[in-house]
Amino acid sequence: MSELDPKIADRLKRNADGLVAAIAQQRGTGEVLMMAWMDDEALHRTLTTRRATYFSRSRGTYWVKGETSGHTQHVHEVRLDCDGDTLLLVVDQQGAACHTGDHTCFDADVLLPEG
């Protein structure tokens, strides 16, 4: 059972797996770095440690960003969108945000170029 503040937990709209989308954004530049999933416990850990903690659907466990890679995210701010189904983490990213080694998860595929 998570220790997430019930006032926050009550506002979350989770998917069928009990997860909420979490977007990481670089502090200062606003650059979108990555998207991952959080459940109540991952959010609680993030709020209390200021270390981005996500829930891995493929592994079925929690992971702290950078714990093994060294590519950490220090969390400065967490916001909840108006629908309660998406979190925004404003972070200082150290190293690559994407598991592929790219700076962001949105570097590789531009489907519609700026114009």
Side-chain angles (χ1 to χ4, degrees), residues 19-25 33-39 41-43 45-46 51-57 59-66 71-75 87-91 93 97:
L19 303 173
V20 176
I23 305 294
Q25 180 182 45
L33 300 171
M34 59 176 278
M35 181 273 179
W37 296 98
M38 289 185 161
D39 64 2
E41 181 60 24
L43 179 55
R45 292 180 188 187
T46 299
R51 296 172 59 202
T53 304
Y54 302 105
F55 183 80
S56 171
R57 295 176 302 160
R59 291 175 286 198
T61 190
Y62 299 100
W63 55 282
V64 177
K65 181 68 174 165
H71 300 167
T72 60
Q73 290 177 347
H74 175 75
V75 180
L87 296 160
L88 176 66
L89 282 67
V90 180
V91 303
Q93 176 71 46

Side-chain angles (χ1 to χ4, degrees), residues 8-106:
I8 296 171
D10 288 346
R11 296 178 58 202
L12 297 177
K13 291 185 185 159
R14 300 159 194 83
N15 68 12
D17 297 319
L19 303 173
V20 176
I23 305 294
Q25 180 182 45
Q26 178 63 50
R27 183 173 72 130
T29 68
E31 181 176 31
V32 177
L33 300 171
M34 59 176 278
M35 181 273 179
W37 296 98
M38 289 185 161
D39 64 2
D40 289 22
E41 181 60 24
L43 179 55
H44 169 71
R45 292 180 188 187
T46 299
L47 293 173
T48 56
T49 66
R50 291 192 177 265
R51 296 172 59 202
T53 304
Y54 302 105
F55 183 80
S56 171
R57 295 176 302 160
S58 61
R59 291 175 286 198
T61 190
Y62 299 100
W63 55 282
V64 177
K65 181 68 174 165
E67 196 167 56
T68 56
S69 69
H71 300 167
T72 60
Q73 290 177 347
H74 175 75
V75 180
H76 288 274
E77 186 176 0
V78 178
R79 294 179 181 220
L80 181 61
D81 80 333
C82 58
D83 295 324
D85 62 1
T86 306
L87 296 160
L88 176 66
L89 282 67
V90 180
V91 303
D92 277 333
Q93 176 71 46
Q94 297 297 317
C98 188
H99 71 282
T100 65
D102 284 340
H103 177 67
T104 85
C105 292
F106 300 97

